[in-house]
């Protein structure tokens, strides 16, 4: 005990001496000399200390912008800090599926391991009194992360580990983010205080490929294509193409085109940008909107055949050479024409497949239409719309998915009759779902299935009646055509007979005249 007491006493004496010398050094030595001595002290320490440290500050640059590296590191460490750290702090994060995030507290340290290399992360917090004036004043608090590792692992850490941390942090943030649905604002609202080109709401559509009423083979093919695209960054770079993919969804109304887009967004974890072309005045605005979209997004133009006249043809304005005031009605028409969108087909093609399409990465472009034949072939050719997906009427496989979704029924005695009716008539998935949805708490699955059978039989009779009416109309048109043709033939024959009679009369008159002349001679 006496030895321990003497050791502690000597340690306290040494500490007091060091503190005294440091106070004298800091007070009496001039700043240039202190800086000079500190430089050589750090060099001496680096020769003895085998560890290297890297600091990642929270803010960077003159404008003190929040560092993306710091944010990615914070996200990466937060995924493990709740299990390894003894002191935690809670933060509310906006636009995240987990709004309350736990991270290690200031001056706390955790250990990480990568490829057999042991590393130490430490969170630091410093109070700084800034007396300088700036248009971008710095915060009084400075936070940073300090990474420490042995010098023999320098190449592994710098070349691989830091990139791994940043990529993993961004991936975690992407997985945890809250999806958004964007719509473009009119260009008149783009400028001013806190004005933006896009407005958004939280995207909470519950659609998924599991609940999508679609043939299983087609569903599997679409899922494989989406996974291939999402993991194809290196492949697209290798072949020299922008990392984007176009999908054309076409089919009758009510076949699930919008639901397909929602399922794609939830599967890929992408935001949706619903582009309303009628609100875009010209091609330049269209390009500006594209630049404002983020990566990992789906750009959607619904009912593109109805959005604009994408033929490149525009009515030419008539120039009035005469000076003077225009007529009030004509002036109003001119002003209305100026308000119309002047987005051209070439402008849209340049955005989705030209140079501007390479702005950003990992972007899906989706067109929907009810009438694919109305679209310009240049707009939907392969390479622009890479995959054409026809969403047609409900089949029996799609019905079973809807029955499981709406009624929790996998099989039923009425299923064979329903399968038979689906082979004989057509009904959209929207109509099938409406018939399967219970209309009251008391309704059972059998009641809903019977209602669907009744609707299918009614649709079958209506289709048969319509086919008979069309057949009768076709026959009537054929008979009318035959009648008109016969009348035309009779008319033509009458005209020919009349002409022949006239020719005969002329011929008889000529003969008579010739005979008269002969007798006279």
């Amino acid at each position: 005990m006496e030895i321990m007491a003497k050791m502690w006493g000597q340690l306290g004496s040494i500490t007091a001496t060091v503190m005294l010398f440091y106070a004298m050094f800091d007070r009496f030595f001039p700043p240039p000399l202190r800086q000079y001595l500190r430089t050589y002290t750090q060099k001496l320490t680096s020769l003895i200390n085998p560890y290297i440290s890297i600091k990642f500050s929270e803010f960077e640059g003159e404008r003190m912008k929040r560092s993306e590296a710091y944010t990615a590191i914070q996200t990466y460490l937060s995924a493990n800090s709740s299990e390894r750290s003894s002191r935690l702090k809670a933060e509310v994060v906006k636009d995240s599926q987990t709004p309350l995030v736990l991270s290690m507290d200031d001056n706390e340290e955790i250990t990480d391991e990568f490829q057999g290399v042991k590393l130490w992360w430490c969170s630091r917090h410093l109070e700084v009194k800034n007396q300088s004036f700036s248009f971008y004043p710095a915060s009084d608090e400075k936070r940073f992360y300090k990474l420490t590792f042995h010098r023999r692992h320098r190449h592994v850490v710098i070349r691989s580990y830091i990139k791994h941390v940043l990529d993993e942090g961004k991936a975690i943030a992407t997985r945890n983010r809250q999806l958004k649905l964007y719509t473009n604002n009119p260009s008149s609202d783009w400028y001013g205080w806190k004005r933006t080109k896009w407005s958004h709401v939280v995207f909470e559509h519950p659609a998924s490929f599991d609940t999508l009423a679609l043939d299983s083979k087609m569903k599997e093919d679409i899922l494989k294509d989406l996974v291939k695209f999402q993991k194809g960054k290196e492949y697209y770079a290798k072949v020299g193409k922008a990392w984007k993919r176009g999908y054309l969804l076409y089919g009758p109304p009510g076949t699930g085109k919008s639901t397909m887009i929602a399922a794609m967004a939830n599967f890929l974890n992408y935001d949706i940008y619903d582009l309303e072309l009628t609100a875009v005045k010209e091609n330049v605005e269209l390009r500006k909107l594209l630049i404002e979209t983020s990566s990992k997004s789906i750009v959607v133009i619904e009912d593109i055949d109805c959005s604009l006249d994408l033929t490149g043809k525009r009515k030419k304005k008539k120039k009035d050479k005469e000076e003077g005031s225009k007529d009030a009605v004509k002036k109003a028409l001119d002003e209305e024409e100026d308000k119309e969108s002047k987005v051209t087909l070439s402008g849209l093609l340049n955005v989705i497949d030209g140079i501007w399409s390479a702005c950003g990465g990992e972007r899906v472009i989706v067109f929907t239409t009810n009438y694919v034949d109305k679209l310009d072939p240049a707009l939907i050719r392969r390479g622009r719309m890479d995959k054409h997906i026809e969403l047609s009427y409900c089949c029996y496989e799609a019905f079973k998915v809807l029955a499981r979704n709406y009624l929790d029924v996998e099989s039923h005695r009425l299923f064979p009759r329903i399968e038979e009716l689906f082979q004989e008539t057509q009904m959209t998935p929207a109509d099938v779902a409406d018939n399967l949805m219970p209309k009251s708490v008391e309704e059972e699955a059998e009641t809903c299935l019977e209602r669907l059978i009744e609707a299918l039989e009614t649709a079958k009779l209506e289709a048969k009646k319509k086919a008979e009416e069309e057949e009768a109309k076709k026959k009537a048109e054929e008979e009318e055509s035959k009648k008109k043709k016969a009348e035309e033939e009779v008319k033509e024959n009458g005209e020919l007979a009349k002409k022949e009679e006239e020719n005969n009369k002329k011929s008889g008159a000529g003969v008579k005249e010739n005979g008269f002349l002969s007798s006279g001679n």
Side-chain angles (χ1 to χ4, degrees), residues 156-194:
V156 175
V157 173
I158 294 176
R159 294 180 181 179
S160 303
Y161 177 69
I162 294 178
K163 184 179 183 300
H164 163 75
V165 170
L166 298 180
D167 292 343
E168 188 65 20
K170 291 177 182 177
I172 294 172
T174 301
R175 289 195 298 268
N176 293 336
R177 70 173 178 164
Q178 200 168 37
L179 298 185
K180 297 175 183 177
L181 174 62
Y182 291 85
T183 184
N184 54 304
N185 298 323
S187 57
S188 57
D189 296 339
W190 286 8
Y191 308 101
W193 177 246
K194 291 187 177 180

Side-chain angles (χ1 to χ4, degrees), residues 358-395:
C359 298
E362 200 171 352
R363 184 183 289 118
V364 174
I365 301 173
V366 179
F367 291 165
T368 71
T369 180
N370 297 332
Y371 308 99
V372 67
D373 296 335
K374 291 184 178 181
L375 298 181
D376 193 302
L379 187 65
I380 59 175
R381 69 163 176 80
R382 302 293 178 174
R384 289 196 175 110
M385 292 294 105
D386 304 281
K387 194 169 184 62
H388 295 192
I389 302 174
E390 181 181 6
L391 299 176
S392 187
Y393 294 98
C394 188
C395 62

Side-chain angles (χ1 to χ4, degrees), residues 90-121:
E91 293 179 331
V92 177
V93 180
K94 294 182 180 180
D95 303 328
S96 175
Q97 296 180 5
T98 55
L100 190 64
V101 177
L102 299 177
S103 59
M104 61 180 182
D105 200 1
D106 297 330
N107 301 318
E108 186 70 6
E109 184 179 285
I110 63 171
T111 306
D112 196 14
E113 189 172 340
F114 177 76
Q115 295 182 2
V117 178
K118 196 172 184 180
L119 311 102
W120 295 268
W121 284 100

Side-chain angles (χ1 to χ4, degrees), residues 417 419-426 460 463:
R417 175 56 180 161
E419 182 179 8
E420 181 182 346
L421 287 171
F422 271 121
Q423 295 173 356
E424 298 173 353
T425 188
Q426 294 178 336
K460 178 182 175 181

Side-chain angles (χ1 to χ4, degrees), residues 194-367:
K194 291 187 177 180
R195 296 294 182 89
T196 59
K197 295 179 177 62
W198 295 92
S199 300
H200 71 270
V201 295
V202 176
F203 181 70
E204 297 178 326
H205 201 294
S208 67
F209 279 93
D210 292 334
T211 60
L212 198 62
L214 199 64
D215 180 73
S216 58
K217 291 183 179 179
M218 179 183 290
K219 189 184 299 186
E220 184 180 358
D221 179 59
I222 296 171
L223 286 173
K224 287 181 178 179
D225 190 79
L226 291 172
V227 171
K228 175 67 176 177
F229 166 76
Q230 194 175 31
K231 297 181 178 179
K233 182 178 181 179
E234 290 78 11
Y235 177 78
Y236 277 85
K238 185 183 74 171
V239 299
K241 290 186 64 176
W243 192 12
K244 67 175 186 61
R245 190 154 180 84
Y247 289 83
L248 175 66
L249 309 182
Y250 65 96
T255 52
K257 294 183 285 294
S258 298
T259 307
M260 168 72 78
I261 295 171
M264 291 169 65
N266 287 326
F267 178 76
L268 296 171
N269 200 32
Y270 285 4
D271 292 328
I272 296 178
Y273 287 84
D274 185 14
L275 179 58
E276 179 55 53
L277 285 179
T278 56
V280 185
K281 288 185 178 180
E282 54 189 7
N283 295 333
V284 175
E285 292 184 3
L286 187 61
R287 289 196 292 267
K288 289 180 179 179
L289 285 169
L290 178 71
I291 294 173
E292 291 291 326
T293 60
S294 63
S295 59
K296 297 183 182 295
S297 62
I298 301 176
V299 181
V300 179
I301 303 179
E302 291 198 273
D303 298 322
I304 191 170
D305 55 300
C306 304
S307 297
L308 288 176
D309 181 18
L310 296 173
T311 60
K313 298 179 181 179
R314 290 289 182 268
K315 295 180 180 179
K316 296 182 179 179
K317 295 184 180 179
K318 295 180 180 179
K319 296 183 178 179
D320 193 357
K321 296 181 180 180
E322 299 179 358
E323 296 183 357
S325 60
K326 292 184 177 180
D327 183 74
V329 177
K330 185 178 179 181
K331 186 177 181 180
L333 291 174
D334 290 342
E335 290 178 354
E336 187 67 25
E337 187 176 358
D338 290 338
K339 293 180 182 179
E340 292 181 357
S341 175
K342 295 179 175 57
V343 175
T344 62
L345 177 62
S346 62
L348 182 60
L349 295 181
N350 189 33
V351 165
I352 64 173
D353 193 36
I355 297 175
W356 289 94
S357 66
C359 298
E362 200 171 352
R363 184 183 289 118
V364 174
I365 301 173
V366 179
F367 291 165

Side-chain angles (χ1 to χ4, degrees), residues 392-408:
S392 187
Y393 294 98
C394 188
C395 62
Y396 181 64
E397 292 295 325
F399 155 74
K400 290 196 292 184
V401 175
L402 292 173
R404 184 174 66 249
N405 294 342
Y406 285 87
L407 303 175
D408 294 325

